[in-house]
Each structure stands twice: as C-alpha cells, then as structure tokens.
Amino acid sequence: MTTLTLPVRRPPGLRVVGAGAGFVVFWSCGFIGARWGTQYTSAFDLLAWRFLVAGALAVAVLLIRRPRISRRDLLTQVWMAILTQFVYLGLIFTGIDRGITAGVTALIGSLQPVLIATVAGPLLDERVSARQWIGLVLGVAGVGLVVADDLHAGHGSALLFLVPLGGLLGLVAGTCLDRRRKPSTNSLDALAVQSLVSAVLFTALAASTHQLTVPRQPGFYGAVFWLVLLATGGGWGLYLVNLKLSGATRISALLYLVPPTTMVFAFLLFGETIGVLAVIGMLVCAIAVLLIRSNERNGSDLATLRGWRNPGGWSRAKHRPGARGSRRSA
C-alpha cells in the first residue's frame, strides 16, 4: 500500500490581510508623530532622537540574534536606510516642519502607487492589470477628496512642495531596490540594520547643522517614543513584511488608506473635524484598494498558493502508486 503524507499549511490570506491592515494603522502614526514632535523642535532634531532610541534597540536586537547577513544583503539594507528613511523621512518631516499640512503631504505620498506601477513592469516583473490601473487612478481621486480642504493658499512657496515630492521619490527608489534585489534578510534584522544606519545619518545631520538639542518638554519625548514604537517598529517593520508578502504595487496601494486613517487619528487626538468630502474620499480609497488587490490570490500569487499546498514542489507523478521515486510504506 502506498501512502503519502504532505504537511498541511493554510494559504497566507489572513496573514496578508492582517499585515496590510496593521501597516496602514502604524504608517499613519508617523504623520501624527511628526506633527506632535515638530511642535517642540526641528525635524532633524526629532528624527535624530527617534533613531537614536531606535538604533539603541537595534544594537540589542543584533547582539541577541547575531544574524548572518551577506555582504550583498547588508549593502542593500544600507541603501534602503538611505533611500526609504534618511531621504524619505528627512524630506517629509522637513515639509511638515515648514508648514505643509499632513493632508497635503499625504496627497503627495499617494502618488507612490502610480509611480511604483509605472516602473513595476519593466523593473520588477510585476504585471499591473487594467483593473489595477483603474484602482490606482481612482485612489488618487479619493485622496484628493480627502485632503481637498487642505488645498488652499497660504502654505508657502510652490517650490516647497518639491521637498516632500523628493522624499516620495526616495521611498519609490528604495521599494524598487528591495523588490529588485530581493534580500534574504529577516525583516526584524533588516529593520534593525536600517535603524542603526539611520541613527548615524540623522544624528550627524542634526549635529552638523547645529540642530541637535536636548529638549526639556516631556511631550517631545512622548512623540519620540510614539514614533519609535508605532512608526518605526510597527510601520516600517510591516512595510518590509508586506514587501515580501504582497509585492511593491499592492503594498503601495495601501498608502491610499493612510490619509483617511490619519484624519481619523487627528480627529481623535487633536479634535480636527472630518468633512463630507473626506468621508466620500475614504469610501473611494477603499474601493480603489479593493480593485488593486482584487487578484491577490490570482496571477503571480497562484504560484505562491501552490507552494503552500505543495511546499516541496513535488509533482503528482512522483507520488502515484508505483511511480518511480515514490515513497512506500508497508
């Protein structure tokens, strides 16, 4: 009698959904923390303190885990830190510090899915379907509705908006780099390395520009720990996890949900009101994300699901009774 026992594993559907939902919530916390912290000091000072704390935790993680990271993967993580944290966060926080509202900053950030989708095909071999393109455009429209009240005069020179746009390009470049090189580094180890590199960069930047201070307001340190635990640990950690689970296009689509989520947090924490246009925009953003992620279990993901059902990659012919190379048991 021939029997075959294969390990039963559940498809990663719930894990993908949970990681995506957590990413939206924690990523939104970064905008709230930026607004909170820049009330007390400059953007560079806030970021230096944020990554000094995160870097100290990163050292502890690396000493405990002692991961083996190849030179290629280490170089990838260094560049990821430069592009997705030093460039992106540095310019985003600077824009908020100079008076650009969180809503407008989120609107600029919502352009990332379109940029990612534009380069995903030729660079990342990630096919973008017609339905996903419709979702991408619809998402931009939804975010535009969410932040419509913020798009008015009085936010400074038009050139100022190039600051967060430059940060966005850094995030796009870093995302494409990660998907192109596909490092095998564990997400926790990757976050630790990136946090350590960012701590060095932001501290050096704040010190060289004479902006590194020791604020006395307790609220400042509350903002720092908010950013470390929720934005860095939760937001950036889940960003790396989602890159591995869903790909660049689909995780970028989740950014459409960040502005509405940020507005909800701002309402709860700062008493900001949410208008009718914002509510409509939230619904449009939700529809856009459903369109973009509608084939989560189709196409390229089908191979992933097959791998979960048949982890060893064995063909059925190998396990037919009497087939050559089949496993037999009495």
PDB file of all heavy atoms in Angstrom, residues 13 99 111 143 198 239 269:
ATOM      1  N   GLY A  13      -3.606  33.997   3.204  1.00  0.00           N
ATOM      2  CA  GLY A  13      -4.577  35.070   3.018  1.00  0.00           C
ATOM      3  C   GLY A  13      -4.757  35.929   4.247  1.00  0.00           C
ATOM      4  O   GLY A  13      -4.673  37.166   4.195  1.00  0.00           O
ATOM      5  N   GLY A  99       5.563  73.884   7.337  1.00  0.00           N
ATOM      6  CA  GLY A  99       4.196  74.365   7.231  1.00  0.00           C
ATOM      7  C   GLY A  99       3.281  73.607   6.305  1.00  0.00           C
ATOM      8  O   GLY A  99       2.086  73.913   6.237  1.00  0.00           O
ATOM      9  N   LEU A 111       0.899  59.560  -4.510  1.00  0.00           N
ATOM     10  CA  LEU A 111       1.363  59.373  -5.879  1.00  0.00           C
ATOM     11  C   LEU A 111       2.278  58.155  -6.001  1.00  0.00           C
ATOM     12  O   LEU A 111       2.563  57.707  -7.107  1.00  0.00           O
ATOM     13  CB  LEU A 111       2.119  60.617  -6.360  1.00  0.00           C
ATOM     14  CG  LEU A 111       1.326  61.928  -6.412  1.00  0.00           C
ATOM     15  CD1 LEU A 111       2.237  63.079  -6.789  1.00  0.00           C
ATOM     16  CD2 LEU A 111       0.173  61.812  -7.392  1.00  0.00           C
ATOM     17  N   VAL A 143      -7.975  60.248  -2.579  1.00  0.00           N
ATOM     18  CA  VAL A 143      -7.116  61.009  -1.675  1.00  0.00           C
ATOM     19  C   VAL A 143      -7.287  62.506  -1.923  1.00  0.00           C
ATOM     20  O   VAL A 143      -7.260  63.315  -0.998  1.00  0.00           O
ATOM     21  CB  VAL A 143      -5.646  60.588  -1.848  1.00  0.00           C
ATOM     22  CG1 VAL A 143      -4.722  61.468  -1.020  1.00  0.00           C
ATOM     23  CG2 VAL A 143      -5.471  59.137  -1.437  1.00  0.00           C
ATOM     24  N   SER A 198      20.311  54.712   9.998  1.00  0.00           N
ATOM     25  CA  SER A 198      19.585  55.982  10.060  1.00  0.00           C
ATOM     26  C   SER A 198      19.964  56.780  11.295  1.00  0.00           C
ATOM     27  O   SER A 198      20.007  58.020  11.252  1.00  0.00           O
ATOM     28  CB  SER A 198      18.076  55.719  10.054  1.00  0.00           C
ATOM     29  OG  SER A 198      17.677  55.099   8.856  1.00  0.00           O
ATOM     30  N   TYR A 239       6.046  47.378   6.720  1.00  0.00           N
ATOM     31  CA  TYR A 239       6.350  47.723   5.331  1.00  0.00           C
ATOM     32  C   TYR A 239       7.259  46.658   4.713  1.00  0.00           C
ATOM     33  O   TYR A 239       7.022  46.182   3.597  1.00  0.00           O
ATOM     34  CB  TYR A 239       7.025  49.089   5.274  1.00  0.00           C
ATOM     35  CG  TYR A 239       7.241  49.625   3.878  1.00  0.00           C
ATOM     36  CD1 TYR A 239       6.208  50.258   3.192  1.00  0.00           C
ATOM     37  CD2 TYR A 239       8.470  49.506   3.238  1.00  0.00           C
ATOM     38  CE1 TYR A 239       6.396  50.751   1.907  1.00  0.00           C
ATOM     39  CE2 TYR A 239       8.668  49.991   1.964  1.00  0.00           C
ATOM     40  CZ  TYR A 239       7.629  50.627   1.304  1.00  0.00           C
ATOM     41  OH  TYR A 239       7.819  51.103   0.032  1.00  0.00           O
ATOM     42  N   LEU A 269      -7.301  62.653  18.359  1.00  0.00           N
ATOM     43  CA  LEU A 269      -6.228  63.175  19.209  1.00  0.00           C
ATOM     44  C   LEU A 269      -6.185  64.697  19.265  1.00  0.00           C
ATOM     45  O   LEU A 269      -5.805  65.267  20.290  1.00  0.00           O
ATOM     46  CB  LEU A 269      -4.876  62.644  18.713  1.00  0.00           C
ATOM     47  CG  LEU A 269      -4.691  61.119  18.768  1.00  0.00           C
ATOM     48  CD1 LEU A 269      -3.365  60.726  18.146  1.00  0.00           C
ATOM     49  CD2 LEU A 269      -4.775  60.618  20.208  1.00  0.00           C
TER      50      LEU A 269
END
